[in-house]
Amino acid sequence: MKTIYNKTLLCFGALLFLVLTPAFSIESENSEAHHTPIAEVYDEALGFSAGPMTGTGLTYHKTYGSKGWQIVAGALYSPEIQFYGNLLDYSLGFSHHWRVFSSQWKDILGGNLYIFTSIMHRGYIPWVDDSYYDEESETYVEVPPYSGSYTPQFTAGFGIGMELIGFSHFSIPIEVGYGLTWLPTAGSLQNQFAVELYPQISFRYRY
C-alpha cells in the first residue's frame, strides 16, 4: 500500500513540476500576472470528474473571487449479471475551493493552486461471485452471480489541488488529499472508518 502511495505522490509531483514550471515561472513582457485571474473571467465550468472524495460523474463548478464550489453527480446501473462490477453504483459530492495562487501566461497557459474540502455520499449494490474450487471432487463449482446488499458510504476530504487552464477555457484540475471514509454497514466500529491518501482528476470547460 505504501508503494502505491509513493507512486501516487511521485506522479503528482512530476505533474506539478511540468505544469507549474511554464505556468508560474514564466512572465510575459506585459506583466500579465497583474491581470484578472482567468478563473474569474470565465467563472463557470462544466465537465467530468473522477475521485473517491468527490465522486465520479458530471460536474459543475462556480468561481466567485478567490473561492469556488463544485458539485459532482453520477450513477451507473447494470442489470445484466456479471462476475465483477456493481448492479447499482451512484455518488453525489460537493467541494469548496480556496485559491492561494494564480498565474497566466498570455492566452495559452494558466494555472491555479488551491486548497479544497469535500464531502461525498456513495451507494452501491455489488454483484457477488461465490464460485469456488471443491477439493474433495477436485472440480470448480460455478455459482451464478447474484446481487449483494446495498452498501452506503460517506467520505470527507481535505487536500491541495492544481488547475491547469489551456487557451483560457480547457481546465484540468488535479487534486491529492486525505479522505476519511465511513462505512456504516461494515460491522464493528474499527472496521467502519478508514483514512487514506487519494488522487482525483477532472476535465472541464470554463465559460
Side-chain angles (χ1 to χ4, degrees), residues 64-82:
Y64 51 99
S66 61
K67 299 179 181 180
W69 59 268
Q70 174 180 258
I71 186 169
V72 179
L76 296 174
Y77 176 66
S78 180
E80 296 184 3
I81 295 177
Q82 302 180 28

Side-chain angles (χ1 to χ4, degrees), residues 31-99:
S31 301
E32 292 178 324
H34 298 290
H35 289 185
T36 302
I38 197 65
E40 296 181 28
V41 176
Y42 303 104
D43 58 357
E44 295 182 83
L46 291 172
F48 175 84
S49 183
M53 291 178 289
T54 56
T56 299
L58 301 180
T59 178
Y60 170 79
H61 183 274
K62 172 66 176 178
T63 300
Y64 51 99
S66 61
K67 299 179 181 180
W69 59 268
Q70 174 180 258
I71 186 169
V72 179
L76 296 174
Y77 176 66
S78 180
E80 296 184 3
I81 295 177
Q82 302 180 28
F83 287 94
Y84 59 90
N86 298 320
L87 168 66
L88 172 68
D89 196 331
Y90 71 88
S91 61
L92 177 64
F94 178 85
S95 59
H96 200 277
H97 305 158
W98 291 268
R99 188 172 67 246

Side-chain angles (χ1 to χ4, degrees), residues 8-17 20 24 50-54 70 95-101 112-118 156-164 172-179 196-202 204:
T8 300
L9 292 175
L10 181 61
C11 292
F12 183 71
L15 287 171
L16 282 177
F17 175 79
L20 293 179
F24 296 157
M53 291 178 289
T54 56
Q70 174 180 258
S95 59
H96 200 277
H97 305 158
W98 291 268
R99 188 172 67 246
V100 297
F101 187 76
N112 296 311
L113 185 65
Y114 60 91
I115 298 172
F116 75 89
T117 58
S118 65
F158 170 82
I160 61 172
M162 184 277 302
E163 179 186 17
L164 169 65
I172 305 178
I174 302 171
E175 300 173 348
V176 170
Y178 283 97
E196 296 193 35
L197 186 65
Y198 296 113
Q200 300 192 141
I201 190 169
S202 301
R204 304 189 304 230

Side-chain angles (χ1 to χ4, degrees), residues 25 39 47 59-60 64-65 72 96 103 125 127 145 165-167 171 183 192:
S25 299
T59 178
Y60 170 79
Y64 51 99
V72 179
H96 200 277
S103 184
I125 300 175
W127 285 112
I165 304 176
F167 300 99
S171 167
L183 294 168
Q192 292 183 13

